[in-house]
Amino acid sequence: MRKPILLVPVWPERGAGRFLGLLERVSRMWPEVEGEVRVSPGGWDAAAAAVEEFRRAGFVVAAHLPPPEESDPAEAARWLREVRPAWAVVHGGTAREGEVEDCADFVEFLRDRASRLRKVASSGVTLYVENVPPREPVRDPADIGRAAGVRYLVRAGMFARDLLFLCRACGTGALLDTEHLLDAVACVREAAVEVGRVESLPDERAFAGMFGFVVREGRVFWAGDCLRGLTLAGEAALLRPARVHVTGSTAALRNGAVTSHAELRAGDPFGEYVLRFVLGLGPASVTVESCHEGGTFDFGVLERSVLYVTGKLAERPVLVTRK
C-alpha cells in the first residue's frame, strides 16, 4: 500500500523560496510531499527555474500548464521534454466568444481541443486534463472580493462525461478539481431555477444522452431530469480520478461574493467533508489549492490549509491509492 502524495502549488512569480520552505516543513510530518509548479502564459523560463530549484532541494515536481488557447501546444510539449516534470496537468480550454453556439459546435470544439492536447501529450510526460466550470465571476473593480456579474463560458471538460470524452480523444488521464465540479453543478442548477426544466430537442437528444447537458446560444443547460443525479460523488464515480485538486469552497461564487480557493480548516463542516471524500477516493495525489482570502491570493491561507491536510493525513490509516 502506498501513501497518498500531498502536493503544494507553487507560483514562481510569487517567490519560490517560501513555497519551498512550506514543503520542507510539511516533509517533516508527511514525507510524501511534492510541488506543483504553475506555468503562467509565457512564464516557461521562470517555471523551469523553479522546477530545478525544488529538485535540488530533493523534491519531486509536477507542472500545471497554461490552457491551450493561452500557449502554443508545440511550445508546451517542447518545455515538457526539456524540463521533464513528474507529470503535468492542463485545462481543456475555453471556447472563444461565438465559437460554440449549439451542441454540434461543441462536438467540433472538443475535437479541436483534443487535437491541441495531443500535441502537448506527445512530449512523453504523463498528462492529465482538469475539469473546469462553465462560468467565471466578473470582478467588481471597487471590491475584487465581490462579483459585478457572471460570465458564462463553454469549456472542454466541464463535467465527467465530456471530460472523459476529451481525455480518451487525446490520450490523457483525468484530474478531478472538487471546487470546479461543485461550481459547475451550481451553475447549471441556478440556470434551471432561472429558465425552468430544459427538455432536449430532437436534434439534441443523442448529444444530451452522451453528455447530460445541451448547449444553446453559447450557454450550457442540464437536460431533463438528469440534474437530480448530478453530484460530486456521482461525477467522481464516473471519473475514478488518480489525482485530485481540493479546496474548502462549495463554489467559486456565492450570493455575489467571490468564494474560490477557500481555506481548508478544522471546524468547517464542508471542508472536513470534502477532504474525507477526496481521501476516500484513494487518489495517488491530492493538491491543496486553498489560497484565497477576500478574492485575492493569501499565502497564509495556503500554509494553514496545507498544514491542516498534513495533520489529517498523518492521523489516518494508509489508504490504497490508484497508480
Side-chain angles (χ1 to χ4, degrees):
M1 291 191 297
R2 297 166 48 208
K3 298 176 181 178
I5 299 168
L6 175 62
L7 278 95
V8 177
V10 176
W11 286 267
E13 64 273 15
R14 299 185 184 277
R18 57 179 174 172
F19 297 99
L20 180 56
L22 179 56
L23 262 75
E24 290 171 337
R25 183 178 175 187
V26 169
S27 68
R28 293 191 285 271
M29 298 178 283
W30 188 256
E32 299 293 325
V33 62
E34 301 176 359
E36 188 180 307
V37 170
R38 305 305 168 98
V39 186
S40 60
W44 303 108
D45 291 343
V51 170
E52 182 58 30
E53 180 179 355
F54 278 69
R55 279 183 179 148
R56 287 197 303 268
F59 292 103
V60 175
V61 185
H64 196 309
L65 305 176
E69 65 271 7
E70 295 182 19
S71 64
D72 177 6
E75 184 178 19
R78 183 168 55 250
W79 185 89
L80 289 173
R81 281 192 294 269
E82 293 173 355
V83 177
R84 306 301 298 180
W87 53 273
V89 60
V90 65
H91 294 174
T94 302
R96 302 182 303 274
E97 185 174 356
E99 182 180 7
V100 177
E101 290 296 315
D102 57 24
C103 298
D105 288 343
F106 184 80
V107 173
E108 291 305 309
F109 164 69
L110 273 187
R111 289 172 176 159
D112 174 78
R113 295 313 188 265
S115 175
R116 299 186 193 192
L117 292 171
R118 278 196 297 273
K119 295 177 183 177
V120 180
S122 70
S123 70
V125 173
T126 300
L127 184 66
Y128 297 86
V129 182
E130 175 184 351
N131 61 294
V132 281
R135 68 175 180 180
E136 64 183 11
V138 178
R139 303 288 185 122
D140 185 339
D143 182 357
I144 59 174
R146 302 290 300 176
V150 177
R151 181 180 295 110
Y152 294 106
L153 305 166
V154 176
R155 285 168 154 167
M158 297 174 286
F159 301 94
R161 284 182 278 175
D162 61 310
L163 179 59
L164 288 172
F165 181 97
L166 177 66
C167 291
R168 288 164 184 158
C170 60
T172 68
L175 183 148
L176 170 64
D177 186 298
T178 61
E179 177 182 316
H180 289 174
L181 195 282
L182 289 165
D183 194 55
V185 172
C187 179
V188 292
R189 288 189 182 279
E190 289 168 14
V193 172
E194 176 188 342
V195 304
R197 174 177 167 139
V198 174
E199 295 288 356
S200 55
L201 301 174
D203 62 348
E204 297 172 328
R205 284 173 188 157
F207 180 95
M210 179 180 294
F211 296 120
F213 58 85
V214 296
V215 181
R216 293 180 184 170
E217 298 182 353
R219 188 172 172 186
V220 176
F221 299 94
W222 210 253
D225 291 331
C226 300
L227 193 56
R228 295 178 183 176
L230 182 61
T231 64
L232 174 62
E235 296 293 279
L238 291 173
L239 287 173
R240 301 185 73 248
R243 302 190 185 277
V244 180
H245 286 173
V246 66
T247 77
S249 296
T250 59
L253 182 67
R254 288 290 185 193
N255 300 320
V258 178
T259 55
S260 60
H261 300 93
E263 185 172 345
L264 284 161
R265 63 181 185 274
D268 173 31
F270 174 77
E272 293 178 347
Y273 155 74
V274 77
L275 184 58
R276 284 195 309 271
F277 173 78
V278 163
L279 295 179
L281 295 173
S285 69
V286 176
T287 304
V288 176
E289 289 200 317
S290 301
C291 59
H292 282 186
E293 182 68 41
T296 61
F297 179 81
D298 187 314
F299 184 80
V301 170
L302 174 63
E303 182 178 43
R304 291 191 299 272
S305 299
V306 167
L307 293 175
Y308 168 69
V309 174
T310 302
K312 287 296 184 181
L313 284 170
E315 72 184 28
R316 288 176 62 90
V318 175
L319 297 170
V320 177
T321 59
R322 300 188 192 281
K323 295 184 179 180

